[in-house]
Each structure stands twice: as structure tokens, then as C-alpha cells.
Amino acid sequence: MWPGVSLLCLTLLSCLCHGRGQEQASLSKVSDPAGHCLYTFTVARPEEASCPGGSSSGEETEKVLARLTLLEAVVSGLVAAGAKAGDVGTEGLQEAHARVTRERNQMQEEQKRMNRQVQELQSKLLQLSQEADGLRTSRCPQTGSTGGGQNDNRPISDPAYDPGTYREMKAEVVTVSSAQLSPEGNLSLAGCGELVSVEDPVLHRTADSITGKYGVWLQDPEPQGPVYTNRTVWRLDAVSRDVRQLFAYEDLDQFSRGSFMKLLVLPEPVESTGATLYRGSLYYQRRRSRTLLRYDLSSERVAARRDLPHAGFHGQHPYSWGGYTDIDLAADERGLWAIYSTEKAKGAIVISLLDPRSLEVRRSWETRIRKNTVANAFMACGRLYTVASYAAANTTINYTFDTATGEGRAVAVPFKNKYQYNSMVDYNHAQRRLFAWDHFHMVTYDVRLGGAGAGAS
Ligand SMILES: *[C@@H]1O[C@H](CO)[C@@H](O)[C@H](O)[C@H]1NC(C)=O
Ligand SMILES: *[C@@H]1O[C@H](CO)[C@@H](O)[C@H](O)[C@H]1NC(C)=O
Ligand SMILES: *[C@@H]1O[C@H](CO)[C@@H](O)[C@H](O)[C@H]1NC(C)=O
Ligand SMILES: *[C@@H]1O[C@H](CO)[C@@H](O)[C@H](O)[C@H]1NC(C)=O
């Protein structure tokens, strides 16, 4: 019954957008008995909303505003023409113009109000589904709980305090067998040298609720257009037991301002912060599984699914901050990658190059660096880079592994965790920037790469 409640809220949510029904705005002209020429503007209000089937409120209002702007231009033209000819209709036109302006202002207010309502409903929905989940799990026997139990007086509905979510792998000291690294790969990438420096983070947006403590935000480095471009911003808040809401923003400006262009509801829930965007698809790990999904953004369908063979999941090999970050997907100049570990690798980072269409593993490399000792990792120019700490304000990228040579080594590139809880770091090769989510803060870092070609010399 609880899932039923969530469903109901979702339906409500999707109906909140403005109706498409009243697209008409018209201008008519009649003579009144006194011999004046009266101009009448009819502009439909967006109030009686019906389900629009996909169009967002922002989009709709923008269309209305565009029409109004057009009408204003017509009115201005007529006013100018009227003034020239000394026409008696001028006053009426000015009045009409003022009315149109008033209505536009009203609509802008309306738009703001709708945006607020959408946001309220979203947090309500999230809260309900968390409560539902809480009820469900409290009835089931807990297996393999990491303890912590019912301590403190922390709010139950706050998933960030769930001991399960925060499970960190601390035990397990294993000798890593010397990896079988074959140096046969030779992936020359002109202009794609090693990472030289990472600039200071630039803040773009701060999440305003607990669901945004950590998450994923990205732009597609190789968008497939025409609907979504390299300006589109995508965001997934990852603090929830049922992460399915993918927000799309027209561009960085809209993203920073706060309203969104579209909300896509994913058919299957997302695990943690390892998702990535590449060539018109969202790639992500299905919750509590090693299943990878490719969700096509334009058809809004799952276009491919495949298990990542032997990959640890749900707390077996997470990054040091925990959060079920077992499987991290990444895209770079070379393609689509999975960063994870397996039982055979005994917790050492395994890198696999994936077929972006089918999600099949094309080739894998095993490193000697243990996944749960690093805070995060990303791929750039076919090289893995790992961040030493997620919490230290001044830390370093202290290890790199080159898939072209099959060799890894220590490096020391300074890196700042300005907000001291960095849960996601992904490289965008089109922009040569890192996108990161650092304790409610969505930031980017410009990076500098060496000019040299491939090879760690
Ligand atoms: C590897 O790449 C270098 C250039 O970076 C090239 O000179 C060499 O022939 C390549 N080797 C193989 C085996 O492809
Ligand atoms: C998007 O692509 C255009 C054309 O390729 C480029 O000029 C622009 O800088 C890109 N914008 C972003 C945000 O990547
Ligand atoms: C990088 O830093 C982490 C955390 O301080 C440490 O555990 C790891 O051994 C370091 N790796 C290298 C290659 O220095
Ligand atoms: C971090 O490094 C900057 C210089 O890059 C320095 O000004 C700052 O005090 C350092 N912060 C900490 C906490 O060490």
C-alpha cells in the first residue's frame, strides 16, 4: 500500500505542469458605437491545467511569454503607426499594451508559484517513499547490518543517517596478488597528455534539502541532439532508497537559478553516485545489483542492460567514503569505462572498457591500488586517477594508471575538497573539466593536461 501512495504522488506531480490546451492568443479589432476603433487581446491563462504529457511548466510559460513578446511588438508597431497618422485609436492601444504587460507579469508570478509547488511535492514524495521503505525494512530481519543501531535521537526519515548507507569497508587487509598487466595496448591520443593540475572548484549550485547531500550532476560530452545538447545539465540526487528522478536543465544558467526544464523518472532505481552521461544516454548501476543500464534520454527507455561480470556491489568494494560506491562509470576521450573491483582482484581497482551500445566488457585492467583506500576516481585520456581523500580540504590525486601501458604509479596533483565531503568526481573531456558533488555543493574544476601524446614514459 505504501508504494501506492508514492505512485499517487508521482501522478499528481506529473499533472502539475501547465496545460497545453490554451495555446491561443488573439488580436481582434471592432468599431464601437462612438466610432472608436477597439483592439482586443485575448491571452489564455495557464490556470486550468490538464495533463500536458511531457511538456514542463517552464517550457510552457516560456512559449506563452514568447507569444506575448510577439504581441507586444505588434502593439508597439500599431501604436507607432497610430501616432504617426494621428489616429484616435492610440489611447486604446496603449491601454491594451499595458494590459498585456500586466498579464505577463501575472504569468511570471504564476510560474514561480508552480515551481514552488512542484518542489514541495517532490520533497513530500521523497519523504513518503523513504518512510515506506523504512516501514518495509523494519519489518524484515536485517542481515549483515554494520551495527550502530538505534543510537542518538537522529530523525528516522533522514536517510543520510542510516548506518547502512554509510557503511564503509574498513576491515579486510589482503595481500594483493601481483596483477597480470599486459602492456600490449598502445592507444595514442594526441593532445591528451597526463594530468598536470586541477584548478580551484567553482560553485554552480547548492542543494537545499537532505536529498542533495550527495548526488551526480553532469553534462553530456558527446550529446546526440537535437533535444538535449552539450548545454543541457543533468542532475540526480542520490540520498534516497529509491533514486529515480533525473532532472534536466536547459543550461548552466537555469541550473544555477533553480528551476528545471524536465523531470525524467527512471524505470529502475539508481545505486549511489557512479552514474555517467555519454552519447545521449545515462549509464548507471541498478540498485543492489551489478547490473548496468543504459537509459536512452530521448526515447526515455532502457536501451541496454548487462551484468558487469564478477563486480562487487552494495558495499563490497566502495570508495573510502562508503555510500555503496562500488561501481563507478566514467567517460573520457577513449570511451566508456567501469571502475570497480571483484573478488578475484581482492578489492584492487579493476578498470573495464565497455561497449557503449551493448555494455559488454571489451577489455579489463587490474591495478594494485585498493578501491576502499581511495576517495574517488575518474578517467581522463585512458588513464585512471584516484583522489586520496574525500574530506581533507587540501588533498592530492596521488595515483594514476595508464591503460595504454598497463602501468600505475604515484603522482601528487593538488586537489581541493572545499566543502569537505566529496562524493562524486567525473571528467568531461569535451570541456576538460571535472564535475563534482561536494557536500550539497555542485562544483566544477578546470583541469590542465600535458600536451604530450600517450604513454607514461
Ligand atoms: C604505439 O604508438 C606509437 C606512437 O605513440 C607508435 O610510434 C608505435 O608504432 C605504436 N606501436 C604499436 C605497436 O602500435
Ligand atoms: C558546445 O558545443 C559548441 C560547438 O561545438 C561549442 O562551441 C561550445 O563551447 C560547447 N559548449 C559546452 C558547454 O561544451
Ligand atoms: C594515496 O593516499 C591514500 C590516502 O592517504 C593512501 O591510502 C594511499 O596509499 C596513497 N596512494 C599512493 C599511491 O600514494
Ligand atoms: C590549503 O592550501 C591553501 C593553499 O593552496 C592554503 O592557503 C590553505 O591554508 C590550506 N588549507 C588547509 C586546511 O591546509
Side-chain angles (χ1 to χ4, degrees):
M1 71 185 150
W2 277 100
V5 174
S6 312
L7 211 65
L8 184 71
C9 291
L10 256 184
T11 315
L12 268 175
L13 195 65
S14 58
C15 289
L16 243 190
C17 324
H18 292 265
R20 234 190 226 295
Q22 301 88 2
E23 293 252 342
Q24 307 307 323
S26 61
L27 170 66
S28 64
K29 191 168 73 167
V30 290
S31 303
D32 76 358
H36 291 124
C37 179
L38 288 185
Y39 287 87
T40 311
F41 291 87
T42 315
V43 179
R45 287 159 181 275
E47 273 155 11
E48 304 81 19
S50 59
C51 266
S55 154
S56 79
S57 59
E59 209 177 299
E60 197 58 32
T61 309
E62 254 172 42
K63 278 190 201 139
V64 174
L65 290 182
R67 286 200 300 272
L68 282 171
T69 310
L70 220 73
L71 281 173
E72 283 183 289
V74 173
V75 172
S76 305
L78 285 170
V79 167
K84 221 189 217 164
D87 194 289
V88 284
T90 305
E91 257 173 50
L93 280 170
Q94 277 168 346
E95 199 180 292
H97 183 259
R99 196 168 68 230
V100 169
T101 310
R102 266 199 312 280
E103 289 203 16
R104 185 191 59 186
N105 292 345
Q106 272 169 11
M107 279 188 189
Q108 281 168 340
E109 282 308 306
E110 182 72 359
Q111 148 87 346
K112 277 186 203 149
R113 201 174 56 79
M114 296 295 259
N115 272 342
R116 274 198 303 277
Q117 281 187 1
V118 168
Q119 268 167 10
E120 274 164 25
L121 270 172
Q122 271 164 356
S123 49
K124 193 87 192 152
L125 165 64
L126 214 49
Q127 205 186 331
L128 277 171
S129 61
Q130 278 158 16
E131 278 169 15
D133 257 324
L135 281 175
R136 221 178 294 125
T137 49
S138 67
R139 267 188 240 114
C140 303
Q142 297 268 2
T143 49
S145 164
T146 37
Q150 301 293 86
N151 55 348
D152 310 348
N153 39 13
R154 287 164 174 169
I156 296 158
S157 61
D158 183 346
Y161 294 123
D162 172 24
T165 312
Y166 271 91
R167 178 140 73 122
E168 294 181 20
M169 300 287 287
K170 281 188 181 135
E172 195 192 339
V173 178
V174 192
T175 0
V176 179
S177 60
S178 74
Q180 298 294 305
L181 302 171
S182 74
E184 77 205 39
N186 187 0
L187 310 162
S188 176
L189 297 158
C192 214
E194 270 202 46
L195 183 69
V196 174
S197 63
V198 178
E199 304 304 314
D200 285 352
V202 175
L203 178 65
H204 297 275
R205 171 101 193 242
T206 308
D208 43 20
S209 78
I210 185 67
T211 59
K213 177 165 185 185
Y214 47 87
V216 180
W217 82 286
L218 286 166
Q219 288 181 294
D220 190 339
E222 299 182 27
Q224 305 294 289
V227 181
Y228 304 122
T229 68
N230 65 352
R231 297 166 68 229
T232 313
V233 177
W234 299 92
R235 166 181 170 176
L236 264 172
D237 288 5
V239 182
S240 168
R241 288 178 186 262
D242 195 53
V243 179
R244 290 170 190 264
Q245 297 186 327
L246 177 64
F247 294 93
Y249 304 83
E250 229 160 84
D251 52 25
L252 266 178
D253 263 1
Q254 192 186 57
F255 177 70
S256 301
R257 282 199 316 270
S259 60
F260 56 89
M261 168 174 76
K262 186 153 187 184
L263 169 59
L264 308 188
V265 179
L266 301 171
E268 298 180 50
V270 181
E271 182 95 307
S272 200
T273 58
T276 201
L277 270 152
Y278 185 60
R279 298 192 182 166
S281 289
L282 174 81
Y283 292 87
Y284 70 96
Q285 177 197 351
R286 191 182 185 284
R287 184 172 169 247
R288 283 179 182 269
S289 76
R290 59 170 63 95
T291 306
L292 304 182
L293 297 174
R294 172 159 85 86
Y295 177 76
D296 183 86
L297 296 167
S298 48
S299 68
E300 298 180 20
R301 295 231 157 104
V302 171
R305 79 166 58 226
R306 189 174 294 269
D307 278 6
L308 183 58
H310 312 295
F313 63 93
H314 208 66
Q316 284 177 285
H317 306 294
Y319 289 133
S320 58
W321 73 272
Y324 301 133
T325 47
D326 298 67
I327 300 175
D328 193 4
L329 298 167
D332 75 355
E333 292 84 347
R334 281 273 291 114
L336 179 69
W337 305 88
I339 304 164
Y340 61 106
S341 188
T342 62
E343 206 159 299
K344 183 168 155 285
K346 299 193 176 80
I349 290 179
V350 174
I351 307 165
S352 289
L353 183 62
L354 305 178
D355 183 317
R357 294 202 68 78
S358 67
L359 297 169
E360 265 174 299
V361 171
R362 283 182 177 160
R363 206 179 146 190
S364 293
W365 292 260
E366 195 176 309
T367 73
R368 294 171 202 226
I369 193 105
R370 293 178 53 72
K371 187 153 180 292
N372 66 11
T373 65
V374 314
N376 222 304
F378 59 91
M379 298 295 298
C381 298
R383 295 183 188 85
L384 173 86
Y385 293 94
T386 70
V387 182
S389 165
Y390 62 89
N394 288 335
T395 183
T396 57
I397 287 165
N398 71 347
Y399 177 80
T400 181
F401 182 93
D402 189 350
T403 58
T405 61
E407 275 162 26
R409 63 188 178 84
V411 291
V413 179
F415 183 91
K416 288 201 167 73
N417 294 310
K418 187 167 177 194
Y419 307 97
Q420 295 172 45
Y421 203 100
N422 211 336
S423 61
M424 168 234 152
V425 182
D426 253 33
Y427 172 67
N428 178 313
H429 59 270
Q431 301 181 28
R432 294 242 156 128
R433 260 176 166 187
L434 298 176
F435 282 68
W437 193 302
D438 188 358
H439 198 242
F440 299 101
H441 296 84
M442 288 146 251
V443 297
T444 55
Y445 301 77
D446 284 343
V447 303
R448 226 150 53 73
L449 303 176
S457 74

